[in-house]
Amino acid sequence: MPAVNNVLVVGGGLAGTATAIQLAARGVAVDLIDVMTEVAVLGSGITLQGNALRELRGLGVWERVRREGYSFDSVGLRAPDGTLLVELPDFRTGGPDLPATIGMSRPALARILVHRASEAGAKVRFGLAVAALRGDHTGVDVTFSDGSAGRYDLVVGADGIRSTVRRLLGVELDTRPTGMGIWRVFGPRPASVTRTDLCYGGPCYIAGYCPTGENSLYAYLVEDARNRGVLSAEERLETMRDLASAYHGPWDEIRAALDDPERIHYTWFETHVLPPPWHRGRVVLIGDAVHSCPPTLAQGGAQALEDAAVLTELLTRHSTLDEQLWTAFTDRRHARAKAVVDASNQLGQWLLDREQGDVPGLMHRIAELVSQPA
Ligand SMILES: Cc1cc2nc3c(=O)[nH]c(=O)nc-3n(C[C@H](O)[C@H](O)[C@H](O)COP(=O)(O)OP(=O)(O)OC[C@H]3O[C@@H](n4cnc5c(N)ncnc54)[C@H](O)[C@@H]3O)c2cc1C
């Protein structure tokens, strides 16, 4: 018998939907809520590494992800003028039967996961947040933002980097900007873009793109963190076009299609890691709520999915929710997620310091680590 019979999952991102799917599929009653009125409209594109794909396969959505995304097994390095310097084989961290990487649209991935959660039996509600939590030895009383209430054996806070559940628990966590900001745009895929290419020269620290489907890609430019929030929509478009004008090859077509400010996102890179424990009483935090990294290794999504896989495995293998279970959880998750966050930050810091670090060595070390099942 699982350690819990009914669970509230707060947050319908990767960590939350994966938790809901695994628990509901094992017969646990799951309520999954998200503050957004429609999860599937969020964001642009995402790069999923092999270890994320292994977890998605465990959730029963691999075929749908493969069909809707764009798989590739190498990464290219280009000069700002578009010259391809080298094409490197990428690590197949999910195993030899999965591609190294898939790019896909975030809304498409969200739709697949939310659909699977409902299919597995989770009750999914959008436009709902947690207003208050009160735990005791046997459960947690939850008051929702619409005034309704519920009592659960466990609450999972999977509500992202600025987690409200974390705040309601009074858990202090210093989230710091890393010093970089990223422009992202979702647009049409030029025929020449068949994998991620990265450029480390020119006015930006990184200029890159990732195909997300037959007809789409997302492209990004990483610069110093600036106060870009003050820019109007038109100014955002102009700024991204201007930065992109230093890059050629496939970027010429990407730039030509840069015409809709609504498809442009700008955000700073931020980071934090919460030391164990990740629970307080019968409330546990997972995913970006406890560890967040800049996407220099594109591992944030994978780490969120791995948290969900390990947590749900322990909840269904143990018959009681006790300290032994919580220790087993952070023993398996904290060091691994922290290693990924530290490495992601290190990659960014080398760029900020214009220092030639051992990038291949670091990539190899993390690939070896995440190739092992979580
Ligand atoms: C610019 C950028 C690019 C990135 N690119 C990649 C990439 O290419 N590959 C990769 O693997 N990772 C990438 N990441 C990291 C990745 O997006 C995150 O690590 C991952 O989404 C974390 O998943 P999560 O479920 O923990 O949190 P989130 O995806 O943030 O999901 C949290 C959910 O909780 C909901 N929520 C928030 N507050 C509440 C509330 N009070 N009540 C209810 N619901 C709430 C939100 O609406 C959201 O749906 C990137 C991150 C950034 C910032």
Side-chain angles (χ1 to χ4, degrees):
M1 223 179 82
V4 287
N5 291 313
N6 78 329
V7 172
L8 171 68
V9 180
V10 184
L14 291 174
T17 49
T19 304
I21 292 166
Q22 296 283 22
L23 289 179
R26 290 171 166 99
V28 175
V30 177
D31 283 347
L32 171 65
I33 64 162
D34 199 287
V35 71
M36 303 295 286
T37 48
E38 161 67 287
V39 164
V41 300
L42 286 174
S44 58
I46 187 162
T47 304
L48 295 164
Q49 307 293 1
N51 59 320
L53 305 182
R54 180 171 55 214
E55 299 307 335
L56 292 170
R57 185 172 57 189
L59 298 173
V61 296
W62 163 237
E63 270 311 311
R64 280 181 254 178
V65 166
R66 190 188 57 76
R67 268 201 310 275
E68 293 208 31
Y70 194 104
S71 311
F72 49 97
D73 287 299
S74 63
V75 61
L77 296 181
R78 285 187 189 262
D81 70 2
T83 308
L84 181 64
L85 304 172
V86 63
E87 180 182 353
L88 302 164
D90 216 345
F91 304 96
R92 288 189 167 215
T93 55
D97 51 346
L98 287 168
T101 310
I102 269 194
M104 75 184 296
S105 122
R106 279 188 188 250
L109 180 60
R111 261 194 304 275
I112 291 169
L113 288 168
V114 169
H115 179 261
R116 176 79 190 107
S118 300
E119 210 175 55
K123 203 167 132 203
V124 184
R125 285 182 291 168
F126 293 123
L128 198 61
V130 169
L133 295 167
R134 203 167 48 82
D136 56 41
H137 287 308
T138 59
V140 186
D141 290 310
V142 178
T143 310
F144 295 102
S145 50
D146 64 355
S148 62
R151 182 171 172 83
Y152 298 89
D153 293 343
L154 173 71
V155 173
V156 179
D159 50 348
I161 190 164
R162 287 182 225 300
S163 170
T164 300
V165 173
R166 193 178 69 223
R167 182 173 52 73
L168 290 172
L169 292 176
V171 173
E172 297 285 334
L173 183 57
D174 180 27
T175 304
R176 70 169 179 88
T178 69
M180 288 174 159
I182 184 168
W183 292 93
R184 284 179 296 168
V185 66
F186 194 72
R189 178 180 71 88
S192 58
V193 172
T194 55
R195 53 155 196 265
T196 285
D197 284 335
L198 300 168
C199 173
Y200 292 102
C204 296
Y205 292 110
I206 310 170
Y209 43 74
C210 172
T212 50
E214 269 317 298
N215 302 313
S216 65
L217 99 174
Y218 75 104
Y220 44 94
L221 297 164
V222 179
E223 58 166 5
D224 283 314
R226 295 178 208 278
N227 187 11
R228 299 296 200 184
V230 295
L231 299 182
S232 68
E234 277 309 314
E235 286 168 333
R236 285 207 310 275
L237 184 60
E238 245 352 273
T239 307
M240 189 165 183
R241 262 202 209 128
D242 195 38
L243 287 169
S245 67
Y247 300 97
H248 301 284
W251 269 102
D252 290 327
E253 272 184 78
I254 294 168
R255 189 173 49 256
L258 255 175
D259 55 8
D260 179 2
E262 293 307 314
R263 284 192 282 115
I264 294 180
H265 300 255
Y266 178 78
T267 186
W268 283 10
F269 289 169
E270 294 177 293
T271 186
H272 61 214
V273 181
L274 183 70
W278 287 353
H279 74 291
R280 300 291 185 272
R282 289 175 165 263
V283 183
V284 63
L285 299 166
I286 63 170
D288 269 19
V290 275
H291 48 73
S292 177
C293 48
T296 44
L297 284 166
Q299 268 293 327
Q303 294 310 302
L305 290 168
E306 288 184 2
D307 282 354
V310 173
L311 176 66
T312 55
E313 180 203 313
L314 293 170
L315 288 173
T316 46
R317 205 152 44 76
H318 287 233
S319 52
T320 43
L321 198 62
D322 54 17
E323 285 309 311
Q324 205 189 344
L325 184 153
W326 294 128
T327 305
F329 178 49
T330 43
D331 278 357
R332 279 173 62 183
R333 292 304 305 150
H334 174 260
R336 179 167 165 129
K338 184 171 186 309
V340 168
V341 171
D342 289 348
S344 304
N345 286 332
Q346 177 65 81
L347 279 176
Q349 197 59 48
W350 280 331
L351 289 168
L352 282 165
D353 296 343
R354 312 226 173 254
E355 191 184 320
Q356 183 77 49
D358 178 16
V359 176
L362 180 147
M363 303 279 251
H364 197 263
R365 180 168 57 77
I366 295 301
E368 295 235 300
L369 174 72
V370 302
S371 293
Q372 303 303 317

